[in-house]
Amino acid sequence: MKKIVARYKDGSLLKGETDDFSPDRETFRLHLLDGEVVIIEINDLKAIFFVKDHEGNKNRKDRYKDARPWSGKRVKVVFSDGEEIVGYTSHHSFEQQGFFMAPADLENNNDDIYVITSATRSIDF
């Protein structure tokens, strides 16, 4: 099971774990922290954050000075709501519903991020 935070395009979020997420599918099961299981429609999301823990630290400011050349090209994603994330991706296609990126800050709570392309304003390499 992977710990995730599913962030919706409307700003809401759900925290839980999944064992069946695949970028090739349109839905996946999320086991919420209270034990309830819900079906998530991937296209309704902004991004899926694969996290180290569900608490995180909202006051922490990311540093974007860590080099991760083994993780692909450096990318800056600007979401439709204005949030910006900098990281690295080894594969991105505008024809797919999304792509994985690794955060540039190695101390970030996110291990990986699956960005939903339809929730972005710009993607710059």
Side-chain angles (χ1 to χ4, degrees):
M1 296 287 267
K2 301 224 182 217
K3 294 178 186 173
I4 68 165
V5 174
R7 300 233 359 235
Y8 283 86
K9 291 175 183 173
D10 69 5
S12 63
L13 62 86
L14 293 174
K15 296 179 181 183
E17 297 181 337
T18 188
D19 61 357
D20 75 338
F21 170 77
S22 170
D24 299 323
R25 295 180 39 209
E26 295 179 10
T27 63
F28 67 95
R29 285 188 315 273
L30 179 62
H31 301 260
L32 299 175
L33 299 178
D34 66 5
E36 181 184 357
V37 178
V38 296
I39 303 297
I40 303 293
E41 297 276 341
I42 293 174
N43 200 42
D44 292 341
L45 299 176
K46 168 182 167 176
I48 302 167
F49 297 88
F50 294 83
V51 296
K52 296 171 186 156
D53 68 67
H54 286 113
E55 296 304 314
N57 180 354
K58 289 188 178 219
N59 296 323
R60 186 180 181 286
K61 297 291 184 201
D62 285 339
R63 299 177 310 118
Y64 296 123
K65 297 179 183 195
D66 295 326
R68 296 178 76 162
W70 62 91
S71 297
K73 291 183 176 181
R74 190 170 174 96
V75 62
K76 177 181 175 183
V77 174
V78 180
F79 289 99
S80 298
D81 64 5
E83 180 182 6
E84 297 180 11
I85 297 177
V86 176
Y88 292 87
T89 185
S90 58
H91 178 73
H92 174 263
S93 169
F94 289 106
E95 286 82 43
Q96 296 178 339
Q97 72 178 342
F99 64 96
F100 282 99
M101 67 181 287
D105 185 343
L106 295 174
E107 295 180 19
N108 188 294
N109 188 44
N110 301 310
D111 283 325
D112 279 310
I113 304 164
Y114 185 72
V115 175
I116 311 304
T117 305
S118 64
T120 65
R121 183 182 306 159
S122 66
I123 301 168
D124 298 311
F125 293 92

